[in-house]
Structures are given as structure tokens and as C-alpha cells.
Amino acid sequence: ILVTIKRAQNRQPQKLLKQNTRKKELINNALSYMEEHYTEELNVAKIARESALSESYFRMLFKDVTGLTPLEYTTRIRIIKSLEFIQRDNVTIRQAAEMVGIYDPNYFTRIFKKQTGIAPGKYREQRSTHGVHKK
């Protein structure tokens, strides 16, 4: 489990650490907002306005600072959070997907596998067979 979570986290952009402070400051509030509201439909235009930036400049700056588009960043946040939810006995994969704001189970399975290298069902199965118990 920890390897899967670490793999997903390691895919988080390392580029963020290398950017200049001014660019990071401009994007920092947007990143915080996205991490707090990952369960909601995130509107890039609204986030850009809240950041006092034009949408096109925001998209360019976001990609420059993080190495990801706003959608890619949100997807990674959602998958990392879903890993935590899937570990719970009483939460189905479908429920975990919905808890992170993804209501299409096929889409969730596709992006989960893309981010972690394993389907959510296999992840749960491996977690069970490796003796990982829930709290």
C-alpha cells in the first residue's frame, strides 16, 4: 500500500520545488484551493480569477510551475485521496471514487490505473492478500 501511495505521490510534480518564489506565490493559493476543493467540479476560469490572473496566463503559469495542467494536478490529488478511502473496509471502489468527486466508475478505474499502475480492484485485492488490516 505504501509503495502504491508513494508511487502516486512521487508522480506529483518535482518541478514545483525548482521554480522562482514569485511564480510559486502566484500559484500557491490556487494549489491550496484545489487541494481543499478536489471533491467539487473545479472551474479553471474561476480559480484564475481568484488568483487575479487571466485564464490563459494562469494555465501557462500553472503548467510552468507544476509541470502539470490544472486538470492533471486535480486528478492526481483525487487518486491519492482515493487510495486512502479504498483502504477502508466499508467503502466500495465506487464510493471511494464518488468521495473524490468522480462519478463515472469506468473513468475512475482508467485514471486510477494510469496514475498508480494498477486497477483499483487489484489494489484492494493486493492490500487484502498482503495482510493489511484496517483500523
Side-chain angles (χ1 to χ4, degrees), residues 30-99:
L31 295 174
S32 295
Y33 180 86
M34 294 166 82
E35 289 174 14
E36 291 171 16
H37 298 273
Y38 67 89
T39 61
E40 303 167 15
E41 184 176 331
L42 293 174
N43 181 318
V44 175
K46 179 183 176 191
I47 298 169
R49 277 193 308 274
E50 293 293 324
S51 301
L53 301 170
S54 72
E55 185 176 347
S56 61
Y57 183 65
F58 173 78
R59 286 180 186 275
M60 186 273 308
L61 187 60
F62 193 95
K63 175 90 174 181
D64 187 43
V65 170
T66 67
L68 299 170
T69 67
L71 177 60
E72 291 168 333
Y73 188 83
T74 302
T75 298
R76 289 194 179 178
I77 292 169
R78 288 175 171 161
I79 296 305
I80 290 168
K81 291 293 185 183
S82 75
L83 288 168
E84 297 170 19
F85 296 133
I86 290 172
Q87 293 177 32
R88 298 182 185 168
D89 278 332
N90 59 340
V91 176
T92 66
I93 292 169
R94 180 183 206 110
Q95 289 170 325
E98 291 174 356
M99 292 169 78

